Amino acid sequence: MAPSLEAPDDEVRDVLANPLKKKPDLVAPEPEHCPGPESEQAGTADSCAGCPNQQICASAPKGPDPDLPLITARLADVKHKILVLSGKGGVGKSTLTVQLAHAFATNPDTTVGVMDTDICGPSIPKMLGVETETIHTSNAGWEPVWAMDNLAVMSIQFLLPNRDDAIIWRGPKKNGLIKQFLKDVQWGELDFLLVDTPPGTSDEHLSVNTFLKESKIEGAVVVTTPQEVALLDVRKEIDFCRKAGIRVLGIVENMSLFVCPGCKHESKIFLDHTGGGRGLAEELGIPFLGSVPLDPRIGIACDYGESFFDSFPDSSACKALKGVVKGLVEQIGLDPEVLLPEGDGSS
Amino acid sequence: MSLSKIKHIVLVLSGKGGVGKSSVTTQLALSLSLAGHSVGVLDVDLTGPSIPRMFAIEDAKVTQAPGGWLPITVHEADPTSGLGSLRVMSLGFLLPGRGDAVVWRGPKKTAMVRQFLSDVFWEELDYLLIDTPPGTSDEHISLAETLLQKARPDQVAGAVIVTTPQAVATADVRKELNFCTKTGIRILGVVENMCGFVCPNCSECTNIFGSGGGEVMADDFNVKFLGRVPIDQQFIVLVETGKRPRYPEGTVINGQDISAAAKEAEAEEAKRDTAQLVLKYKDCSLAPIFKTITADVVSAVEQGGA
């Protein structure tokens, strides 16, 4: 058998306590093409023939995950669940998530939750300036970290003993944690739960979709940059949404223009010769929510965990972001006037 | 075994997505090839393969031969001009449609990575570059495990780590460095990508994503800093449209006037857009930067082997 390079669970496990839905205790690692020990076909799929775990998986309780109703109950008071997706990494999923959260949270009557499902590269805590926080647990569950009075955050970063620790986890373990984020965290009454995701179309995405199916996902915002190398992966993500039955609320094109601070010359650094985000949106019949220019100050605001809306309310990037938020709010059938009263950013 | 004829295996890693792993892989491959080495590129980013697009070979399909899957040839070796051969393998070649999502859970990805490492028929190669997806998860664990089993210890040269300067990116990349330490992968060095953008209008250099973050991180972890790579719009144009990079007159990089080289090339107008990618890349401002980085990587690899 292959030598395992997975990190011993050591400290992380102490914090994470016991896994929830008990995965059957396997006697050997999952084989290639394993349908997943928790899946419907566990023990009966073609690839299960000859697997030492077959009996174990086959006799494990089947049917819908018994935790699903618990998740649904926990999230009953969450009005809108929105995923932020992109097949491509580094296009600004977390940045957009954070900006959306800030934009919604400028209204003191709105409560926002942000859940970071990027297990291997959590960026949300840093961008919200709560990197050093840790989780408090009580009888009722895990208390999320409150970045503002009305902005709750949950990320694996809060569970790490050291900031730079690598999370060397395979899929099932990541799924377990995401489930805990949904089932054990006291989200309470939220108007919005924004779910930031890692790049790709794999375990995390499948899990979020499965776990939230019953409590209904409002839809997904897809982020891209203008160049074809990124659009290529984003197409795959939209294909995934279609397959999974997630409504795409719209496409946001990030890093579209760069305005030189010296001469105000506008450069398209990431060339959109195949039409960019707008072209893709038209091609696939999806609403286009807007283009956000590449403004170095957004990056700086994220590095320092500040709200870009508060720091540079008059910049063109800020206006573009507000346009995106407005478009998104309209897509989910709410009134932007009520939700985002003008003069926001002053809070 | 498929890896038996390969001299050195170099991984290109980064905890963060979109920092330029695939561009760095591409440019390392082109530079190694220009230096006369025979190079293979293996793309294990299963859910977002970018390498076929980078080499402008998206339409290529993999063929099966008795020795295994045949990698796609980007160009053959050309001894007269000292060019090494360049071959590529990616999941992108196996997908029926370019927009199709690969929705796979971990075990299936593991199986695919294993198959990519064992069933691809690589001929004699000086370097095999492995481009990876972001993170420290299934693909990475499988890659490290499989290399431990199937490759000789002297073959696995180590990893080139790519980052961008801003703190949000280095925070994730630090995790990747810890991953390498835990799995015993040697770190050949850190490349800081997207450091600075030169405005084509006024030539002012803006550090869009800050500057120096990669170097600080390399110092913290006591690994070699290989260099800074600026954002070059012409490189993106080259990848996106296949146009040969051209610069305004008087563009000087590392003491070389690169606009002159582009002028000469213009004389061969007819040849321009059909020329091999590697020859067009020679005119790119990033080529001299990567020449130095490549030389550093090669010497680091050879030191390790000795």
Side-chain angles (χ1 to χ4, degrees), chain B residues 41-62:
Chain B
V41 176
L42 176 66
D43 181 9
V44 300
D45 191 343
L46 305 175
T47 51
S50 306
I51 289 288
R53 173 86 198 166
M54 300 299 278
F55 286 102
I57 43 174
E58 273 187 287
D59 298 331
K61 286 275 170 257
V62 169

Side-chain angles (χ1 to χ4, degrees), chain A residues 41 44 68 121 201 310 322:
Chain A
Q41 305 119 44
T44 54
L68 281 183
T201 47
D310 285 353
K322 280 184 182 160

Side-chain angles (χ1 to χ4, degrees), chain A residues 5 56-57 62 84-85 124 139 147 164 174 218 322 333:
Chain A
L5 288 167
I56 302 169
C57 289
K62 282 283 156 42
V84 181
L85 298 173
I124 293 285
N139 289 349
D164 296 342
K174 295 196 280 193
E218 189 80 39
K322 280 184 182 160

